[in-house]
Amino acid sequence: MTKHYDTIVIGAGPGGLAAAYALNATQQVLVVEANLWGGTCPNAGCDPKKMLYGVVEAKRQGQRYAKSGLVGTAQVDWPALMTFKHSYTDRVPTGTVAGLTQAGIDHIHGQAHFVGTDMIQVDGTNYTAQQIIIATGATPTLPDIPGQTAFQTSTDFLNLAQLPAKIGFVGAGYVAIELANIAVEAGAEVHIFQHNERLLRGFPASYTEKLRQILQAKGIHFHMNTNLTALKEAGQQVIVTTDTLPALTLDAIFAAAGRRPQLDDLNLSDLGIATKPQGIVVNERLQTNVPTIYAIGDAVAKQVPKLTPVASLEGRYVAQVILGQTQAAITYPAIPHTVFAGPELAQVGVTLDAAKQAPEQYMIQEQVVGNWYTYHRIQDQTAEVTTIQDRTTGQLVGAVVLAINAEELINHFAALISKHEKPETLRDWMPIYPSVASDLGYFYSK
């Protein structure tokens, strides 16, 4: 028996759900999910990570206030911290299913396989649709070395019943840096193994080096230009062998050297759908080379950051295309991104490197702001902000922030960039004083 729908969405993460809900008013939609309902972000990604980050940052803020009137030292109770995390994440799958049910959106749990350009199969049942949206997200990449089964992933870290005493992370990107910071603040001995000299590729090296120094001061051990060559389990521990160091025994080792699109078992090659190692190839309307099959989110090979809000935007956009509400190419606003590393490192818009390569086009203003009131108040002595303006229009086009509250400031910068606001606009805006927003006029001037 074959069941027919207008649109099938493969993947129930933020992108897939955004598409399904947008289509639901006028279409019969089926959502298929092979893993956790709700996707990586709320179950085992940005949401639970930030819950842990919030707790360890509260501890660190207390330390910063130790000489400013706050007495006593907070300690992290890891099991209680996990209970706090589970108070949210345990409700995500059931809440997602309840939302789909209430909206009248059909949904099934299982692995989808394409058996035709308009047909998938799940657990032996065929489903057809006029359009199919692939929104399957990404999965951690494990280094291909002897003993790789000893690797754990970020999902495992975010479910640790007890925090291991000595742990390692392979990689120096978002995941490794953020989880390493949580671990060291919670009391673990932390090692980071990186194959080259850079961490957080994509951010300015001058900023990432400052962040590395801050993290080293917390106790994180960075092993740069170091490759793991083998792992060997020894009881409850793991012996880590590298190409530069003596063997190191850890209680856990986490692979955090990147993620790959989750396209396993979809049978895309059988349909001739073009893919790259970075994901599915799509056009400016997020269509694959099979026009009735779309791809969104982390499953796509693209230049824009693979972030939850981006996937949601793409899901809503594809729904508009399918419904005939637009045929225009997708456009993206300024997309801010932040590493929650205690302090936070954030950037948006034109990169600092690109601006330095075009001095005739861009004006760069770098400011050390640790002694400004906003940062002195929270004892953020290493805070630093760089803004990039177009020399002709004066408009803000890019920014980099290293600060405790970088996420807040970068959001304001992103709004200014997306709306193409000129500096004089801020003269007619009256934010709460004192606040991060009230500092904008000092960062972004004529």
Side-chain angles (χ1 to χ4, degrees):
M1 176 176 147
T2 300
K3 299 182 180 180
H4 182 73
Y5 290 87
D6 295 309
T7 299
I8 293 173
V9 180
I10 306 174
L17 292 174
Y21 278 101
L23 292 166
N24 184 50
T26 56
Q27 287 200 344
Q28 286 292 112
V29 179
L30 173 67
V31 178
V32 183
E33 174 56 56
N35 198 348
L36 291 174
W37 292 100
T40 297
C41 180
N43 283 290
C46 38
D47 288 356
K49 173 261 298 180
K50 197 169 181 184
M51 294 178 75
L52 273 58
Y53 178 74
V55 172
V56 301
E57 270 297 281
K59 167 182 171 284
R60 197 167 80 98
Q61 187 62 51
Q63 293 171 338
R64 286 191 293 265
Y65 281 152
K67 294 181 181 180
S68 305
L70 189 63
V71 179
T73 302
Q75 299 296 324
V76 175
D77 180 337
W78 188 266
L81 182 59
M82 284 294 105
T83 298
F84 172 52
K85 187 222 72 160
H86 283 291
S87 71
Y88 172 78
T89 57
D90 287 357
R91 296 183 286 111
V92 171
T94 54
T96 302
V97 170
L100 291 169
T101 301
Q102 185 175 7
I105 300 174
D106 286 359
H107 49 280
I108 55 174
H109 192 270
Q111 176 62 57
H113 312 271
F114 277 95
V115 293
T117 56
D118 65 346
M119 181 183 294
I120 65 168
Q121 186 177 93
V122 183
D123 294 332
T125 299
N126 292 334
Y127 303 87
T128 60
Q130 293 172 309
Q131 296 89 202
I132 298 176
I133 303 171
I134 301 170
T136 47
T139 188
T141 300
L142 300 182
D144 186 14
I145 61 173
Q148 70 170 177
T149 56
F151 278 118
Q152 297 185 62
T153 68
S154 58
T155 300
D156 298 312
F157 180 91
L158 292 170
N159 282 297
L160 288 171
Q162 296 288 340
L163 180 66
K166 295 177 63 175
I167 63 180
F169 295 91
V170 179
Y174 282 78
V175 175
I177 296 300
E178 291 181 336
L179 298 188
N181 174 67
I182 291 169
V184 77
E185 290 285 2
E189 178 184 317
V190 178
H191 297 261
I192 288 179
F193 304 91
Q194 172 65 357
H195 71 278
N196 58 25
E197 294 184 353
R198 282 296 307 272
L199 63 151
L200 298 169
R201 184 183 62 189
F203 284 88
S206 58
Y207 274 87
T208 60
E209 181 57 31
K210 290 168 188 173
L211 180 60
R212 176 165 62 171
Q213 293 172 8
I214 293 170
L215 295 175
Q216 283 178 327
K218 294 184 181 188
I220 294 178
H221 303 274
F222 285 92
H223 307 292
M224 311 306 282
N225 295 307
T226 298
N227 295 286
L228 269 65
T229 55
L231 300 180
K232 182 179 180 181
E233 296 185 64
Q236 298 300 310
Q237 296 181 306
V238 181
I239 300 173
V240 179
T241 304
T242 72
D243 58 359
T244 64
L245 304 168
L248 181 64
T249 300
L250 301 174
D251 296 305
I253 182 77
F254 297 89
R259 299 172 66 84
R260 61 179 178 83
Q262 180 58 278
L263 307 177
D264 301 345
D265 302 319
L266 288 177
N267 296 336
L268 298 183
S269 60
D270 290 351
L271 303 184
I273 293 178
T275 63
K276 297 179 179 179
Q278 297 81 13
I280 299 171
V281 177
V282 296
N283 64 14
E284 69 279 4
R285 289 191 291 276
L286 302 181
Q287 292 169 297
T288 70
N289 54 310
V290 177
T292 56
I293 298 177
Y294 298 78
I296 61 175
D298 290 4
V300 177
K302 57 187 176 182
Q303 296 298 315
V304 296
K306 293 188 175 185
L307 301 171
T308 296
V310 175
S312 297
L313 180 150
E314 291 173 345
R316 293 189 296 270
Y317 166 81
V318 165
Q320 289 180 314
V321 173
I322 290 173
L323 294 174
Q325 297 171 353
T326 184
Q327 285 301 310
I330 188 170
T331 58
Y332 297 90
I335 302 171
H337 43 119
T338 300
V339 183
F340 294 93
E344 298 158 14
L345 177 58
Q347 71 176 5
V348 65
V350 174
T351 66
L352 183 55
D353 288 344
K356 287 182 176 179
Q357 292 171 15
E360 73 289 346
Q361 183 176 359
Y362 300 114
M363 177 174 63
I364 299 170
Q365 186 174 16
E366 299 178 275
Q367 299 186 75
V368 177
V369 298
N371 61 347
W372 289 22
Y373 170 78
T374 297
Y375 303 95
H376 177 76
R377 179 183 64 80
I378 55 177
Q379 290 295 285
D380 188 5
Q381 298 172 351
T382 58
E384 189 166 337
V385 179
T386 295
T387 51
I388 303 166
Q389 291 175 254
D390 184 278
R391 286 191 180 277
T392 302
T393 66
Q395 291 177 350
L396 186 74
V397 294
V400 187
V401 182
L402 177 65
I404 292 170
N405 55 12
E407 62 171 316
E408 185 176 352
L409 182 57
I410 210 71
N411 279 335
H412 288 300
F413 285 148
L416 290 169
I417 294 170
S418 292
K419 295 178 181 178
H420 306 288
E421 300 284 9
K422 293 186 177 180
E424 50 266 31
T425 302
L426 296 175
R427 292 201 302 261
D428 301 321
W429 184 50
M430 191 172 294
I432 293 295
Y433 178 87
S435 66
V436 170
S438 67
D439 288 336
L440 286 176
Y442 301 105
F443 292 123
Y444 181 28
S445 58
K446 293 185 70 173

